[in-house]
Amino acid sequence: MRIAFAKLAFALLIAAALLGQDTTFRAETKLVIVNVAVKDKNGNPVMNLAKDDFRIFEDNVPQTISVFDLQKLNSEPLAPISFSQRPQTLEQRSNPAQPAMGASVNTPAVRDPKRFQDRRLLALFFDLTSMQPEEQVRSQRAAVKFLQTQVTSADLVAIMTFSTKFRVVQDFTDDRETLLSTLQKMSLGETSDLSGLAATAGDENDDSGSFTADDTEFNIFNTDRKLIALEDAARKLAAYPQKKALIYFSGGVNKTGVDNQSQLKATVNAAIRANVSFYPIDARGLTALPPGGDASTASPRGTGILSGTKQQGIRDTFNDSQETLSTLAADTGGKALLDSNDLTTGIRQAQQDINSYYTLGFYSSNAVEDGKYRRIKVELVNKTLNAKLDYRNGYYASKTFQKSSASDKERQLQEALTLGDPVSELPLALEVDYFRVARDRYFVPISVKIPGSAVGLSKKGQAQTTNLDFIGQVRDSGGKLVSGVRDQISVKLNDADAARIGQRNLQYDTGLTLAPGSYDLVFLARENMDGKMGTFETRFVVPDLNSGRNLRVSSVILSSQKEAVTSAVGAADNNKKLQSIHPLVQDGQKMVPSITRVFRKDQTLFVYFEVYDPAVDPDRKFANLTAAVELLSGARKAYTSQPVRVNRTATARPGVAAFNFQVPLERLAPGEYISQVDVIDELGRKFAFPRNSMVVLP
């Protein structure tokens, strides 16, 4: 089953296209489209049913079927063709007076609703940012093989790519030669250097334990942007009420630290509304992972190569890169092709899954725009008919927040925070860190960054202003609410700063105190000028640094900015109690974490972290800690700081040794770097090498 709902005008367009008949206008209603595949006990499509043979329910309430249609799809492959025998020009195959059947859907010839009757819609989506050149070639060859030998007369195929941006390269057409020509013109190798940049999660070589970087903007093609591209593709395909299969060629979707689960949910929900099923194909094929990594992996450090943790870490990273692919397929009714060298199998799976089906449409009797999940049930009137019905079992109702009155805004924030269909209008980047403030309590700073280009401004006197609401909830592993955030800030900018807001970001900081454990964070920001909202949902862990044999190290903060606490904004900055335990607030100055990990050559890199409970000489009563900062460019050391030695812990915070570094970036060449902190406890014979990815701009 596939479901879509739309505004009244779009609903009328679909109904007219499917039925070719007069349509009754229904004010304040939504047309819900449900695609139902009916198969007999042998798995063959049942194609002799009428509208009166079906009953449909929404939240157990019977609905009136207003749209009914049968899509009869042919599954016999066309005769193979050789691409080398194609005509020399497209003009030789097209008569301007009578457009070819394979013309693009943008042309008037194929805007005819009958153009999509009894047609199977397949979109080939090539994520060039996640594939190495050889994987791009393998994907292209699989698509060419499918078009040459396995496409049917019912198939309409579109080609989409994602590199620096999402593009529809070729709209739906059944002209195989046009499609083959488009595939041959693809720039293979484009943006393939970005395929490894998203791998900024825990460093398997670090014996100190798992360190997770933030979801960074330094990697412009991170997980969120891939998912946003898929969401854009689903929205493009929503214009067609038929079933659609999006075949997603990818080299895996790597985790980028604190990933936004809300974006994954938003992408899946957009696909459900658009009748799109995702069929991800792992273009890496069947992969054997050598111990210690292949030639693309840096030489192992620590003892991981000997204990097996290095190999296990590589396997876990590989499995993580396939996890999102499997989730996209399972949650949208598709199937993922993993660990197979025959990539055409994934395309054929999508082709075979879309057999003949019925399109049912009803105007929902529930006109409330509450954003809640509506359950769908379809059954046959004749209970004796031994048939299996395949359809999706629900959809999210629409939700409009901008129409709210001021008195409803607080309630709407609460509702938006708990919606199963997250709001993704306002982009958010978020970082969660941890510092021990007591044996069983940790201070957890939460930093949120919002692109200035997404924020609306209004003129107020001599300044430009904007107003932002923030709300968040933290729940433990059992789902119990343990802490929350609620804040509202106003930002005033002079005309010069307002003119540059599109090239800058707004950052908000808050902080919580938590016990060690695993937590789920849901955070929502609302920009009150235009009413846009954005949700960030992630899971994070506050480790118990009182146990284990590894060196006990806090989060490592990278920053390029310090500001007076009096001028900072955010709950953590305005709360005197939080200021007293905030490790980033020192001498009236606050270090602002760089969520994006992007720095300029004219800036100074500030590095801060803490070590807890170092070994102490029993006679002389002092510790012996040494730390240094290294910036690595590939296998080359681009910078090494002078080592800093600490012999005593802080007086105000017993057992805590704090390290501050300042790294001038002016001598570094622009590019990507790994920031590595080398920490050695000589008395305790322990060490740690936590890493962060970062970028230096000109």
Side-chain angles (χ1 to χ4, degrees), residues 453-512:
S453 57
V455 175
L457 298 175
S458 64
K459 188 73 172 178
K460 189 174 182 180
Q462 298 298 316
Q464 301 266 13
T465 66
T466 187
N467 183 271
L468 295 157
D469 276 302
F470 298 95
I471 187 171
Q473 291 182 349
V474 177
R475 298 181 182 272
D476 62 18
S477 56
K480 179 183 178 182
L481 181 65
V482 295
S483 189
V485 176
R486 178 65 181 96
D487 204 2
Q488 184 180 82
I489 64 170
S490 296
V491 179
K492 294 183 180 181
L493 303 172
N494 58 38
D495 289 340
D497 289 336
R500 295 192 295 268
I501 189 67
Q503 289 75 44
R504 298 189 175 184
N505 300 303
L506 299 179
Q507 186 156 332
Y508 167 84
D509 299 281
T510 188
L512 311 169

Side-chain angles (χ1 to χ4, degrees), residues 62-111:
Q63 305 291 321
T64 301
I65 299 176
S66 301
V67 173
F68 180 83
D69 188 59
L70 171 63
Q71 295 282 336
K72 298 179 181 179
L73 303 180
N74 184 9
S75 298
E76 292 296 324
L78 295 172
I81 66 169
S82 173
F83 183 55
S84 60
Q85 298 174 356
R86 72 191 189 284
Q88 294 299 309
T89 64
L90 298 180
E91 286 75 16
Q92 292 176 333
R93 295 181 285 106
S94 298
N95 182 347
Q98 186 176 2
M101 184 179 180
S104 164
V105 294
N106 283 336
T107 62
V110 292
R111 285 181 178 170

Side-chain angles (χ1 to χ4, degrees), residues 47-68:
M47 296 185 291
N48 59 349
L49 300 177
K51 180 173 72 171
D52 294 338
D53 293 320
F54 291 90
R55 285 193 299 219
I56 190 166
F57 302 84
E58 181 182 278
D59 289 337
N60 294 321
V61 178
Q63 305 291 321
T64 301
I65 299 176
S66 301
V67 173
F68 180 83

Side-chain angles (χ1 to χ4, degrees), residues 25 47 67 72 94 99 123 202 213 359 415 529 565 568 576 597 600 603 616 694:
F25 284 80
M47 296 185 291
V67 173
K72 298 179 181 179
S94 298
T359 298
E415 290 178 354
M529 296 298 105
V565 174
K576 298 297 184 182
R597 304 288 198 255
R600 298 192 312 271
Q603 292 178 325
V616 178
M694 55 176 281

